[in-house]
Amino acid sequence: MDAIWLTGAEWMAVLRVGLGLWWLESWRHKDKKGWFERGTGIAWAADVAAKHRWNTVRSGFDVVVAPRPRTMAYVVVYAELALGLGLVVGFLTPIALVGGLLLNLLYLVLMIHDWAEQGQNTMMALISLVALFGMSWQTWSLDSALGLF
């Protein structure tokens, strides 16, 4: 593979780190007090799910998320933090990429009517796939330093 300025593997690492920074920004800008103490994030998602055009999304939300809003708030917020950190430092990278892909697909399905959310989540999912199949953990990563994967 020919590349300009960096090697192909280094460009894959740049893509991985950029995606990690995107997840960290998603985590950073969340109002944690609102999410954890007032339940604002899950309440917002519940409102979106209740109006969703697909019954599967409504019923799935009611079964999985609605009974445990506090736990799910922690899961969402700290999943974004873990994904960001894992991708930036390249630790357990394939797991983080698959986890991020799944989270983006969940967000995409929940927010299917919101064009801005569709664009962001589609692009993040695409980057996850490219970084996964490009084995972006080969360079500039703890995975590489530790001989993982």
Side-chain angles (χ1 to χ4, degrees):
M1 164 191 257
D2 291 329
I4 297 172
W5 192 40
L6 301 173
T7 68
E10 289 169 339
W11 280 118
M12 281 287 114
V14 168
L15 193 62
R16 181 199 79 230
V17 170
L19 180 61
L21 292 172
W22 200 342
W23 279 115
L24 286 176
E25 175 56 21
S26 182
W27 172 79
R28 186 197 66 78
H29 83 262
K30 279 189 173 37
D31 173 12
K32 278 85 165 170
K33 190 172 187 171
W35 272 72
F36 299 147
E37 294 178 15
R38 297 187 310 276
T40 56
I42 299 302
W44 169 78
D47 184 56
V48 172
K51 299 173 188 169
H52 205 279
R53 66 178 80 162
W54 298 337
N55 186 47
T56 306
V57 172
R58 290 190 303 273
S59 61
F61 191 93
D62 289 343
V63 169
V64 176
V65 181
R68 49 192 78 78
R70 186 171 173 86
T71 300
M72 294 310 291
Y74 279 94
V75 167
V76 168
V77 171
Y78 286 111
E80 291 182 358
L81 175 62
L83 290 169
L85 292 173
L87 293 172
V88 167
V89 302
F91 184 62
L92 302 177
T93 309
I95 296 166
L97 289 167
V98 169
L101 175 63
L102 293 174
L103 192 56
N104 281 128
L105 292 176
L106 284 171
Y107 289 171
L108 180 67
V109 168
L110 179 63
M111 298 301 298
I112 199 72
H113 68 282
D114 185 324
W115 286 101
E117 285 290 326
Q118 285 180 340
Q120 172 177 307
N121 288 296
T122 301
M123 288 301 99
M124 290 177 80
L126 177 62
I127 293 168
S128 293
L129 280 175
V130 171
L132 180 65
F133 292 118
M135 296 172 55
S136 63
W137 54 89
Q138 295 177 65
T139 302
W140 303 339
S141 72
L142 287 177
D143 291 337
S144 177
L146 297 172
L148 300 176
F149 308 104

PDB file of all heavy atoms in Angstrom, residues 62-86:
ATOM      1  N   ASP A  62     -38.603  -0.672  26.354  1.00  0.00           N
ATOM      2  CA  ASP A  62     -39.421  -0.931  27.545  1.00  0.00           C
ATOM      3  C   ASP A  62     -38.933  -2.141  28.330  1.00  0.00           C
ATOM      4  O   ASP A  62     -39.036  -2.172  29.558  1.00  0.00           O
ATOM      5  CB  ASP A  62     -40.888  -1.109  27.159  1.00  0.00           C
ATOM      6  CG  ASP A  62     -41.541   0.189  26.711  1.00  0.00           C
ATOM      7  OD1 ASP A  62     -40.980   1.264  27.002  1.00  0.00           O
ATOM      8  OD2 ASP A  62     -42.601   0.113  26.053  1.00  0.00           O
ATOM      9  N   VAL A  63     -38.402  -3.129  27.641  1.00  0.00           N
ATOM     10  CA  VAL A  63     -37.937  -4.351  28.303  1.00  0.00           C
ATOM     11  C   VAL A  63     -36.521  -4.199  28.860  1.00  0.00           C
ATOM     12  O   VAL A  63     -36.239  -4.614  29.985  1.00  0.00           O
ATOM     13  CB  VAL A  63     -38.001  -5.549  27.326  1.00  0.00           C
ATOM     14  CG1 VAL A  63     -37.285  -6.762  27.895  1.00  0.00           C
ATOM     15  CG2 VAL A  63     -39.440  -5.875  26.991  1.00  0.00           C
ATOM     16  N   VAL A  64     -35.623  -3.586  28.089  1.00  0.00           N
ATOM     17  CA  VAL A  64     -34.209  -3.555  28.471  1.00  0.00           C
ATOM     18  C   VAL A  64     -33.837  -2.316  29.279  1.00  0.00           C
ATOM     19  O   VAL A  64     -33.168  -2.422  30.310  1.00  0.00           O
ATOM     20  CB  VAL A  64     -33.308  -3.651  27.212  1.00  0.00           C
ATOM     21  CG1 VAL A  64     -31.840  -3.532  27.576  1.00  0.00           C
ATOM     22  CG2 VAL A  64     -33.577  -4.950  26.468  1.00  0.00           C
ATOM     23  N   VAL A  65     -34.251  -1.143  28.838  1.00  0.00           N
ATOM     24  CA  VAL A  65     -33.766   0.110  29.437  1.00  0.00           C
ATOM     25  C   VAL A  65     -34.712   0.652  30.511  1.00  0.00           C
ATOM     26  O   VAL A  65     -34.260   1.006  31.606  1.00  0.00           O
ATOM     27  CB  VAL A  65     -33.532   1.179  28.347  1.00  0.00           C
ATOM     28  CG1 VAL A  65     -33.015   2.475  28.956  1.00  0.00           C
ATOM     29  CG2 VAL A  65     -32.564   0.656  27.288  1.00  0.00           C
ATOM     30  N   ALA A  66     -35.983   0.739  30.210  1.00  0.00           N
ATOM     31  CA  ALA A  66     -36.939   1.383  31.122  1.00  0.00           C
ATOM     32  C   ALA A  66     -36.936   0.821  32.545  1.00  0.00           C
ATOM     33  O   ALA A  66     -37.025   1.601  33.501  1.00  0.00           O
ATOM     34  CB  ALA A  66     -38.342   1.337  30.527  1.00  0.00           C
ATOM     35  N   PRO A  67     -36.811  -0.482  32.752  1.00  0.00           N
ATOM     36  CA  PRO A  67     -36.829  -1.000  34.128  1.00  0.00           C
ATOM     37  C   PRO A  67     -35.587  -0.636  34.949  1.00  0.00           C
ATOM     38  O   PRO A  67     -35.602  -0.747  36.167  1.00  0.00           O
ATOM     39  CB  PRO A  67     -36.893  -2.521  33.952  1.00  0.00           C
ATOM     40  CG  PRO A  67     -37.314  -2.755  32.553  1.00  0.00           C
ATOM     41  CD  PRO A  67     -36.846  -1.576  31.775  1.00  0.00           C
ATOM     42  N   ARG A  68     -34.521  -0.214  34.298  1.00  0.00           N
ATOM     43  CA  ARG A  68     -33.262   0.076  35.008  1.00  0.00           C
ATOM     44  C   ARG A  68     -32.608   1.345  34.473  1.00  0.00           C
ATOM     45  O   ARG A  68     -31.491   1.317  33.969  1.00  0.00           O
ATOM     46  CB  ARG A  68     -32.335  -1.125  34.921  1.00  0.00           C
ATOM     47  CG  ARG A  68     -32.154  -1.701  33.556  1.00  0.00           C
ATOM     48  CD  ARG A  68     -31.463  -3.067  33.517  1.00  0.00           C
ATOM     49  NE  ARG A  68     -32.271  -4.190  33.859  1.00  0.00           N
ATOM     50  CZ  ARG A  68     -33.163  -4.775  33.049  1.00  0.00           C
ATOM     51  NH1 ARG A  68     -33.373  -4.323  31.849  1.00  0.00           N
ATOM     52  NH2 ARG A  68     -33.850  -5.806  33.452  1.00  0.00           N
ATOM     53  N   PRO A  69     -33.287   2.475  34.589  1.00  0.00           N
ATOM     54  CA  PRO A  69     -32.762   3.704  33.993  1.00  0.00           C
ATOM     55  C   PRO A  69     -31.430   4.162  34.593  1.00  0.00           C
ATOM     56  O   PRO A  69     -30.556   4.642  33.864  1.00  0.00           O
ATOM     57  CB  PRO A  69     -33.871   4.735  34.248  1.00  0.00           C
ATOM     58  CG  PRO A  69     -34.657   4.180  35.391  1.00  0.00           C
ATOM     59  CD  PRO A  69     -34.564   2.689  35.271  1.00  0.00           C
ATOM     60  N   ARG A  70     -31.268   4.044  35.883  1.00  0.00           N
ATOM     61  CA  ARG A  70     -30.012   4.495  36.518  1.00  0.00           C
ATOM     62  C   ARG A  70     -28.828   3.649  36.050  1.00  0.00           C
ATOM     63  O   ARG A  70     -27.783   4.175  35.678  1.00  0.00           O
ATOM     64  CB  ARG A  70     -30.155   4.454  38.036  1.00  0.00           C
ATOM     65  CG  ARG A  70     -28.968   5.027  38.760  1.00  0.00           C
ATOM     66  CD  ARG A  70     -29.295   5.147  40.262  1.00  0.00           C
ATOM     67  NE  ARG A  70     -28.157   5.535  41.025  1.00  0.00           N
ATOM     68  CZ  ARG A  70     -27.760   6.788  41.225  1.00  0.00           C
ATOM     69  NH1 ARG A  70     -28.454   7.772  40.696  1.00  0.00           N
ATOM     70  NH2 ARG A  70     -26.707   7.058  41.961  1.00  0.00           N
ATOM     71  N   THR A  71     -29.012   2.338  36.036  1.00  0.00           N
ATOM     72  CA  THR A  71     -27.951   1.441  35.571  1.00  0.00           C
ATOM     73  C   THR A  71     -27.614   1.724  34.113  1.00  0.00           C
ATOM     74  O   THR A  71     -26.434   1.793  33.738  1.00  0.00           O
ATOM     75  CB  THR A  71     -28.389  -0.033  35.727  1.00  0.00           C
ATOM     76  OG1 THR A  71     -28.648  -0.277  37.103  1.00  0.00           O
ATOM     77  CG2 THR A  71     -27.332  -0.985  35.215  1.00  0.00           C
ATOM     78  N   MET A  72     -28.625   1.904  33.289  1.00  0.00           N
ATOM     79  CA  MET A  72     -28.391   2.150  31.864  1.00  0.00           C
ATOM     80  C   MET A  72     -27.701   3.489  31.626  1.00  0.00           C
ATOM     81  O   MET A  72     -26.904   3.618  30.698  1.00  0.00           O
ATOM     82  CB  MET A  72     -29.702   2.057  31.085  1.00  0.00           C
ATOM     83  CG  MET A  72     -30.300   0.654  31.084  1.00  0.00           C
ATOM     84  SD  MET A  72     -29.153  -0.664  30.615  1.00  0.00           S
ATOM     85  CE  MET A  72     -28.910  -0.301  28.903  1.00  0.00           C
ATOM     86  N   ALA A  73     -27.983   4.477  32.468  1.00  0.00           N
ATOM     87  CA  ALA A  73     -27.281   5.754  32.349  1.00  0.00           C
ATOM     88  C   ALA A  73     -25.788   5.553  32.568  1.00  0.00           C
ATOM     89  O   ALA A  73     -24.953   6.063  31.808  1.00  0.00           O
ATOM     90  CB  ALA A  73     -27.842   6.767  33.346  1.00  0.00           C
ATOM     91  N   TYR A  74     -25.433   4.802  33.592  1.00  0.00           N
ATOM     92  CA  TYR A  74     -24.022   4.514  33.853  1.00  0.00           C
ATOM     93  C   TYR A  74     -23.402   3.697  32.722  1.00  0.00           C
ATOM     94  O   TYR A  74     -22.265   3.943  32.317  1.00  0.00           O
ATOM     95  CB  TYR A  74     -23.852   3.798  35.195  1.00  0.00           C
ATOM     96  CG  TYR A  74     -23.876   4.744  36.371  1.00  0.00           C
ATOM     97  CD1 TYR A  74     -25.064   4.996  37.055  1.00  0.00           C
ATOM     98  CD2 TYR A  74     -22.717   5.389  36.793  1.00  0.00           C
ATOM     99  CE1 TYR A  74     -25.093   5.877  38.126  1.00  0.00           C
ATOM    100  CE2 TYR A  74     -22.740   6.265  37.869  1.00  0.00           C
ATOM    101  CZ  TYR A  74     -23.926   6.507  38.530  1.00  0.00           C
ATOM    102  OH  TYR A  74     -23.957   7.385  39.591  1.00  0.00           O
ATOM    103  N   VAL A  75     -24.141   2.726  32.214  1.00  0.00           N
ATOM    104  CA  VAL A  75     -23.635   1.899  31.121  1.00  0.00           C
ATOM    105  C   VAL A  75     -23.315   2.761  29.901  1.00  0.00           C
ATOM    106  O   VAL A  75     -22.236   2.658  29.311  1.00  0.00           O
ATOM    107  CB  VAL A  75     -24.641   0.775  30.762  1.00  0.00           C
ATOM    108  CG1 VAL A  75     -24.284   0.112  29.436  1.00  0.00           C
ATOM    109  CG2 VAL A  75     -24.699  -0.255  31.872  1.00  0.00           C
ATOM    110  N   VAL A  76     -24.238   3.625  29.509  1.00  0.00           N
ATOM    111  CA  VAL A  76     -24.043   4.457  28.324  1.00  0.00           C
ATOM    112  C   VAL A  76     -22.872   5.413  28.518  1.00  0.00           C
ATOM    113  O   VAL A  76     -21.961   5.490  27.682  1.00  0.00           O
ATOM    114  CB  VAL A  76     -25.331   5.239  27.974  1.00  0.00           C
ATOM    115  CG1 VAL A  76     -25.058   6.317  26.936  1.00  0.00           C
ATOM    116  CG2 VAL A  76     -26.407   4.287  27.496  1.00  0.00           C
ATOM    117  N   VAL A  77     -22.873   6.142  29.605  1.00  0.00           N
ATOM    118  CA  VAL A  77     -21.844   7.164  29.829  1.00  0.00           C
ATOM    119  C   VAL A  77     -20.454   6.527  29.939  1.00  0.00           C
ATOM    120  O   VAL A  77     -19.501   6.982  29.288  1.00  0.00           O
ATOM    121  CB  VAL A  77     -22.181   8.010  31.076  1.00  0.00           C
ATOM    122  CG1 VAL A  77     -21.022   8.919  31.449  1.00  0.00           C
ATOM    123  CG2 VAL A  77     -23.451   8.823  30.831  1.00  0.00           C
ATOM    124  N   TYR A  78     -20.340   5.474  30.718  1.00  0.00           N
ATOM    125  CA  TYR A  78     -19.014   4.878  30.906  1.00  0.00           C
ATOM    126  C   TYR A  78     -18.595   3.997  29.737  1.00  0.00           C
ATOM    127  O   TYR A  78     -17.395   3.782  29.524  1.00  0.00           O
ATOM    128  CB  TYR A  78     -18.918   4.181  32.254  1.00  0.00           C
ATOM    129  CG  TYR A  78     -18.817   5.215  33.348  1.00  0.00           C
ATOM    130  CD1 TYR A  78     -19.855   5.403  34.245  1.00  0.00           C
ATOM    131  CD2 TYR A  78     -17.715   6.056  33.430  1.00  0.00           C
ATOM    132  CE1 TYR A  78     -19.780   6.388  35.220  1.00  0.00           C
ATOM    133  CE2 TYR A  78     -17.633   7.042  34.397  1.00  0.00           C
ATOM    134  CZ  TYR A  78     -18.662   7.199  35.287  1.00  0.00           C
ATOM    135  OH  TYR A  78     -18.587   8.179  36.244  1.00  0.00           O
ATOM    136  N   ALA A  79     -19.541   3.519  28.942  1.00  0.00           N
ATOM    137  CA  ALA A  79     -19.177   2.813  27.708  1.00  0.00           C
ATOM    138  C   ALA A  79     -18.499   3.781  26.751  1.00  0.00           C
ATOM    139  O   ALA A  79     -17.480   3.444  26.125  1.00  0.00           O
ATOM    140  CB  ALA A  79     -20.405   2.193  27.056  1.00  0.00           C
ATOM    141  N   GLU A  80     -19.031   4.996  26.634  1.00  0.00           N
ATOM    142  CA  GLU A  80     -18.415   5.986  25.759  1.00  0.00           C
ATOM    143  C   GLU A  80     -17.011   6.347  26.239  1.00  0.00           C
ATOM    144  O   GLU A  80     -16.090   6.487  25.430  1.00  0.00           O
ATOM    145  CB  GLU A  80     -19.299   7.225  25.645  1.00  0.00           C
ATOM    146  CG  GLU A  80     -20.580   6.956  24.871  1.00  0.00           C
ATOM    147  CD  GLU A  80     -21.461   8.174  24.685  1.00  0.00           C
ATOM    148  OE1 GLU A  80     -21.104   9.267  25.197  1.00  0.00           O
ATOM    149  OE2 GLU A  80     -22.505   8.042  24.026  1.00  0.00           O
ATOM    150  N   LEU A  81     -16.831   6.481  27.535  1.00  0.00           N
ATOM    151  CA  LEU A  81     -15.504   6.766  28.088  1.00  0.00           C
ATOM    152  C   LEU A  81     -14.544   5.609  27.810  1.00  0.00           C
ATOM    153  O   LEU A  81     -13.418   5.819  27.348  1.00  0.00           O
ATOM    154  CB  LEU A  81     -15.593   7.031  29.590  1.00  0.00           C
ATOM    155  CG  LEU A  81     -14.249   7.233  30.313  1.00  0.00           C
ATOM    156  CD1 LEU A  81     -13.510   8.448  29.770  1.00  0.00           C
ATOM    157  CD2 LEU A  81     -14.494   7.342  31.822  1.00  0.00           C
ATOM    158  N   ALA A  82     -14.985   4.391  28.068  1.00  0.00           N
ATOM    159  CA  ALA A  82     -14.131   3.218  27.849  1.00  0.00           C
ATOM    160  C   ALA A  82     -13.760   3.073  26.376  1.00  0.00           C
ATOM    161  O   ALA A  82     -12.605   2.765  26.047  1.00  0.00           O
ATOM    162  CB  ALA A  82     -14.829   1.957  28.356  1.00  0.00           C
ATOM    163  N   LEU A  83     -14.715   3.280  25.496  1.00  0.00           N
ATOM    164  CA  LEU A  83     -14.429   3.207  24.067  1.00  0.00           C
ATOM    165  C   LEU A  83     -13.398   4.252  23.671  1.00  0.00           C
ATOM    166  O   LEU A  83     -12.439   3.958  22.946  1.00  0.00           O
ATOM    167  CB  LEU A  83     -15.711   3.410  23.254  1.00  0.00           C
ATOM    168  CG  LEU A  83     -16.727   2.282  23.316  1.00  0.00           C
ATOM    169  CD1 LEU A  83     -18.047   2.722  22.710  1.00  0.00           C
ATOM    170  CD2 LEU A  83     -16.192   1.042  22.629  1.00  0.00           C
ATOM    171  N   GLY A  84     -13.594   5.472  24.128  1.00  0.00           N
ATOM    172  CA  GLY A  84     -12.658   6.540  23.793  1.00  0.00           C
ATOM    173  C   GLY A  84     -11.251   6.252  24.276  1.00  0.00           C
ATOM    174  O   GLY A  84     -10.285   6.346  23.515  1.00  0.00           O
ATOM    175  N   LEU A  85     -11.127   5.871  25.523  1.00  0.00           N
ATOM    176  CA  LEU A  85      -9.801   5.588  26.080  1.00  0.00           C
ATOM    177  C   LEU A  85      -9.159   4.386  25.388  1.00  0.00           C
ATOM    178  O   LEU A  85      -7.971   4.413  25.044  1.00  0.00           O
ATOM    179  CB  LEU A  85      -9.896   5.352  27.590  1.00  0.00           C
ATOM    180  CG  LEU A  85     -10.258   6.562  28.439  1.00  0.00           C
ATOM    181  CD1 LEU A  85     -10.479   6.148  29.894  1.00  0.00           C
ATOM    182  CD2 LEU A  85      -9.207   7.648  28.326  1.00  0.00           C
ATOM    183  N   GLY A  86      -9.938   3.340  25.198  1.00  0.00           N
ATOM    184  CA  GLY A  86      -9.405   2.137  24.553  1.00  0.00           C
ATOM    185  C   GLY A  86      -8.909   2.406  23.147  1.00  0.00           C
ATOM    186  O   GLY A  86      -7.859   1.905  22.741  1.00  0.00           O
TER     187      GLY A  86
END
